[in-house]
Amino acid sequence: MCLQECLAREKHPSNPNHHSRQCTDTVYMWKTRDVNSSLNGYTATRADTFQVVLTFRREKIHRGAFGCSRNIFWNKIISKLHLQLAKDFEKYGKIFKERLGPSTYMVYVSDPEDIATVFRKEGRYPVRGASLPLLDVYYKRTGKPLSLGMGDGKQWHDRRTTTQKKMLRPQAVQLYLSMQSQVTDDFMAYLQKMAEEKTELDIQAELVQYVMESIGTVCFNMRLNVLGAQLQHDAKERMFIQKNEELFALLGDYLFSLPFFKWFPTPLYARFEELYSFVLQFSADLVEKSLAKDAELRATEDSPQHFITDLVKDGESIETASDSAAALFIAGVESTSNSLAFLLYNLARNPDKQDKLRAEVTRVLPRDCHMTPEHLNRLPYMKACVKESMRLSFPVVLGATRILAEDAVLGGFLVPKGTCVINCNNASCLQSEYFPNPHAYSPERWMKEDNVQPHPYLLLPFGHGPRMCIGKRFAEQQMYIAISKLVQNFTIQHTGSEDIGITYTIFGKPDEPLGLTVTPRGD
Ligand code: HEM
């Protein structure tokens, strides 16, 4: 029985059909310890039920017109949703439910044991539940085949299977290490040159171009030549960066909004379609160039490594493989560049940690040497620095969401299958119960020598399980190389305002310019 039906009965206990079986169903929403006592006669009071936790603000909004007026304000709420969630957890405890529509609820959890349970109950083909409605409508309207990471069930699974072999297996990702290292070395040389010329740089903007170059090199096996380029206003590359950023902002804004655009093409939808068509076309042009270059290379080389043609060799059609490369490029740039920016910021604000990291890198990685898998294996503090930055500046607005494939006991409540549960790692990551002094940047928390290791389900910036982020290893590898080389060659300093917050679209980004400088090291 679905949650909506349970709730309908809960609302109408006088319903003549409301006999013991229905009671059993109804108590789904009751604390499990109350189940037996409430079975015979539905005795528990409402106060005993699954915490009723709508704040006045929420109550008012949720119970507004059609019971879902909160959706109208979603785009106002999302940017600081993490702060609201933190308050909610403080007020209601580690689990609460929230009305999404007239009879639809979402459940929010922050206890790592509950988060682990949700992943155990996600089923073979996990469904996120919080889809991206603008994208859904786009694909429905255009009739195009769904892109990588979209759709559900076997269709999603089949689409993802081949691609993830090239992306999630550590050995597969290591093949791209030398490409990413080369781009990183070029970035270092560029920063050095700019410093010598005393040119002031907007480090955040440079990071976006660097990540774009690096992910582009992996996806298309060719240089995009955006690294350090002075991009004119009307340069396509610059437009890609701007439009891609706006695209993700719109996707976030309309995650749970009232989807008027489903019924008629609103101006918002028109804007979305314009942005998405642009970034798709930009990526498709790169695919075309990449394939032409690959054909040339194949005439002279035995089997050059090439992301798209390698996927084709593994059984994907050329259209699907090309779409995968484009989708990864689009998803990868915005997400990784923001996480990297926060990592630099956190290290700049904590010079002692930066020095400690530098000492480790200096011990392991000779100055003019490309990063290898062996180097990466010997840099535990560097990995801890990355983790800790993602804890402090959680990179996505909602942790992984899942529709329960089975009933699950969460926080002592029996929550029925079919319920959308939001794993709020962004809240659990900042709770003092799990992380003493939670607002301090302390990579040592993640070091093995520290006796108490955090619960493994507390920090899941890339989600978890079969539906986890397909680009996780790429993104991590990207950040590992970048930060190692940066601290080895530069001192990163923070000159901006004291406490920079995070603002969310789909991804988190600094809510004001970070104010970072990098100064070459003489040693
Ligand atoms: C710091 C960088 C990144 C973060 C924090 C991040 C985070 C996430 C999260 C939380 C999910 C949902 C996972 C789940 O539901 O369990 C996801 C999905 C996804 N990510 Fe990432 N991501 C990052 C980088 C990348 C990169 C570099 C790529 C591509 C190269 C990428 C491609 C995707 C795709 C295609 C999906 C959908 C997967 C599916 O549903 O099958 N991401 N990402």
XYZ file of all heavy atoms in Angstrom, residues 117-150:
272
model
N 20.415 2.448 5.901
C 19.207 1.624 5.669
C 18.546 2.007 4.348
O 18.127 1.148 3.581
C 18.194 1.815 6.833
O 18.861 1.528 8.045
C 16.996 0.914 6.676
N 18.465 3.306 4.099
C 17.820 3.749 2.853
C 18.543 3.135 1.651
O 17.918 2.634 0.715
C 17.812 5.293 2.761
C 17.326 5.754 1.388
C 16.941 5.884 3.856
N 19.868 3.143 1.692
C 20.606 2.568 0.559
C 20.429 1.049 0.470
O 20.431 0.488 -0.620
C 22.087 2.943 0.624
C 22.332 4.370 0.200
C 22.845 5.305 1.077
C 22.027 4.776 -1.090
C 23.056 6.619 0.689
C 22.234 6.098 -1.501
C 22.748 7.010 -0.598
N 20.232 0.419 1.633
C 19.992 -1.035 1.591
C 18.636 -1.334 0.979
O 18.406 -2.405 0.445
C 20.071 -1.628 3.001
C 21.495 -1.979 3.427
C 21.498 -2.954 4.586
N 20.885 -2.395 5.780
C 21.534 -1.610 6.657
N 22.807 -1.328 6.475
N 20.928 -1.129 7.708
N 17.731 -0.380 1.054
C 16.362 -0.609 0.585
C 16.111 0.100 -0.744
O 14.981 0.447 -1.055
C 15.355 -0.087 1.629
C 15.538 -0.645 3.022
C 14.881 -1.985 3.143
C 15.030 -2.534 4.561
N 14.389 -3.820 4.737
N 17.167 0.369 -1.482
C 16.956 1.159 -2.714
C 16.602 0.289 -3.913
O 16.212 0.790 -4.956
C 18.176 2.032 -3.024
C 19.432 1.258 -3.371
C 20.621 2.150 -3.698
O 20.459 3.370 -3.804
O 21.716 1.598 -3.861
N 16.761 -1.031 -3.773
C 16.387 -1.929 -4.859
C 17.460 -2.041 -5.920
O 18.498 -1.378 -5.859
N 17.189 -2.883 -6.900
C 18.196 -3.163 -7.920
C 18.425 -1.964 -8.844
O 19.526 -1.679 -9.280
C 17.717 -4.378 -8.739
C 18.691 -4.766 -9.788
C 18.497 -6.165 -10.277
N 19.475 -6.429 -11.317
C 19.225 -7.086 -12.405
N 18.028 -7.602 -12.610
N 20.167 -7.261 -13.309
N 17.327 -1.308 -9.152
C 17.423 -0.137 -10.027
C 16.990 1.096 -9.222
O 15.830 1.509 -9.275
C 16.499 -0.286 -11.235
C 16.754 -1.520 -12.064
C 15.706 -2.373 -12.406
C 18.031 -1.828 -12.529
C 15.926 -3.500 -13.176
C 18.256 -2.958 -13.301
C 17.203 -3.786 -13.614
O 17.420 -4.904 -14.377
N 17.896 1.687 -8.477
C 17.484 2.780 -7.578
C 16.837 3.946 -8.326
O 17.247 4.286 -9.442
C 18.814 3.229 -6.955
C 19.748 2.097 -7.168
C 19.339 1.422 -8.425
N 15.829 4.515 -7.684
C 15.130 5.666 -8.266
C 15.356 6.850 -7.337
O 15.125 6.754 -6.135
C 13.611 5.372 -8.373
C 12.884 6.582 -8.949
C 13.369 4.151 -9.238
N 15.816 7.957 -7.914
C 16.106 9.101 -7.056
C 14.840 9.809 -6.578
O 14.803 10.394 -5.524
C 17.003 10.106 -7.783
C 18.475 9.911 -7.444
C 19.308 11.087 -7.809
N 19.532 11.161 -9.227
C 20.476 10.488 -9.860
N 21.294 9.708 -9.206
N 20.618 10.591 -11.158
N 13.813 9.776 -7.407
C 12.572 10.422 -6.959
C 12.582 11.898 -7.262
O 11.722 12.399 -7.958
N 13.580 12.603 -6.771
C 13.694 14.013 -7.113
C 14.304 14.093 -8.511
O 15.511 14.144 -8.664
C 14.581 14.713 -6.102
N 13.446 14.020 -9.525
C 13.984 14.087 -10.887
C 14.210 15.559 -11.249
O 13.940 16.445 -10.449
C 13.012 13.445 -11.867
O 11.874 14.261 -11.963
N 14.697 15.799 -12.426
C 14.877 17.179 -12.867
C 13.770 17.452 -13.892
O 13.908 17.132 -15.070
C 16.269 17.340 -13.484
C 17.422 17.038 -12.510
C 18.748 16.943 -13.229
C 17.490 18.091 -11.417
N 12.639 18.008 -13.427
C 11.460 18.064 -14.284
C 11.680 18.806 -15.594
O 11.095 18.440 -16.618
C 10.404 18.752 -13.434
C 11.064 19.199 -12.195
C 12.391 18.546 -12.093
N 12.552 19.827 -15.578
C 12.770 20.551 -16.836
C 13.375 19.610 -17.882
O 12.996 19.635 -19.057
C 13.703 21.741 -16.598
C 13.046 23.001 -16.047
C 14.097 23.961 -15.514
C 12.193 23.690 -17.100
N 14.304 18.790 -17.431
C 14.926 17.853 -18.370
C 13.913 16.804 -18.832
O 13.869 16.439 -20.018
C 16.095 17.134 -17.695
C 17.451 17.821 -17.711
C 18.482 16.959 -17.011
C 17.921 18.116 -19.134
N 13.096 16.333 -17.871
C 12.083 15.323 -18.237
C 11.190 15.864 -19.354
O 10.908 15.190 -20.334
C 11.204 14.974 -17.027
C 12.001 14.296 -15.920
O 13.126 13.820 -16.212
O 11.527 14.263 -14.778
N 10.753 17.117 -19.159
C 9.843 17.712 -20.145
C 10.567 17.886 -21.480
O 10.025 17.600 -22.544
C 9.313 19.072 -19.626
C 8.562 19.819 -20.709
C 8.410 18.851 -18.424
N 11.819 18.312 -21.414
C 12.590 18.516 -22.660
C 12.640 17.217 -23.468
O 12.378 17.213 -24.673
C 14.008 18.984 -22.303
C 14.933 19.072 -23.495
C 14.981 20.227 -24.270
C 15.741 17.998 -23.860
C 15.821 20.312 -25.373
C 16.579 18.071 -24.962
C 16.617 19.236 -25.707
O 17.442 19.305 -26.801
N 12.972 16.123 -22.790
C 13.116 14.870 -23.542
C 11.772 14.363 -24.042
O 11.681 13.781 -25.116
C 13.853 13.821 -22.696
C 15.347 14.092 -22.738
C 15.976 14.795 -21.709
C 16.117 13.718 -23.833
C 17.335 15.089 -21.764
C 17.473 14.003 -23.897
C 18.075 14.693 -22.860
O 19.414 14.994 -22.931
N 10.726 14.624 -23.267
C 9.399 14.198 -23.705
C 8.992 14.989 -24.956
O 8.514 14.443 -25.933
C 8.391 14.462 -22.586
C 7.332 13.398 -22.499
C 6.555 13.603 -21.240
C 5.547 12.481 -21.082
N 4.852 12.583 -19.842
N 9.221 16.302 -24.894
C 8.794 17.168 -26.002
C 9.572 16.907 -27.273
O 9.024 16.905 -28.356
C 8.985 18.632 -25.616
C 7.768 19.169 -24.989
C 7.638 20.668 -25.071
N 6.525 20.973 -24.185
C 6.566 21.835 -23.204
N 7.640 22.550 -23.020
N 5.527 22.016 -22.438
N 10.898 16.728 -27.093
C 11.721 16.583 -28.301
C 11.732 15.146 -28.803
O 12.132 14.891 -29.934
C 13.184 17.002 -28.013
O 13.666 16.189 -26.940
C 13.299 18.461 -27.648
N 11.343 14.208 -27.943
C 11.352 12.798 -28.357
C 12.757 12.222 -28.471
O 12.954 11.118 -28.976
N 13.754 12.973 -27.979
C 15.130 12.456 -28.059
C 15.317 11.321 -27.054
O 14.660 11.321 -26.005
C 16.128 13.572 -27.722
C 16.216 14.628 -28.767
C 17.309 15.610 -28.391
C 17.376 16.738 -29.416
N 18.298 17.774 -29.067
N 16.229 10.383 -27.333
C 16.483 9.336 -26.338
C 17.071 9.941 -25.068
O 17.831 10.910 -25.135
C 17.501 8.410 -27.013
C 17.840 9.026 -28.319
C 17.055 10.278 -28.539
N 16.693 9.355 -23.921
C 17.157 9.908 -22.642
C 18.677 9.873 -22.548
O 19.322 8.942 -23.025
C 16.571 9.104 -21.486
C 15.076 9.275 -21.234
C 14.640 8.422 -20.056
C 14.722 10.736 -21.000
N 19.212 10.898 -21.898
C 20.654 11.001 -21.760
C 21.145 10.158 -20.584
O 20.356 9.684 -19.767
C 20.997 12.472 -21.550
O 22.363 12.665 -21.746
N 22.461 10.020 -20.496
C 23.086 9.260 -19.413
C 22.628 9.777 -18.042
O 22.594 10.971 -17.820
C 24.605 9.421 -19.533
C 25.460 8.647 -18.553
C 25.422 7.166 -18.878
C 26.890 9.146 -18.600
N 22.281 8.860 -17.148
C 21.892 9.263 -15.795
C 20.425 9.630 -15.694
O 19.948 9.969 -14.627
N 19.704 9.567 -16.830
C 18.272 9.899 -16.776
C 17.447 8.624 -16.854
O 17.960 7.564 -17.178
C 17.910 10.813 -17.930
C 18.577 12.155 -17.835
S 17.798 13.276 -18.951
C 16.145 13.353 -18.325
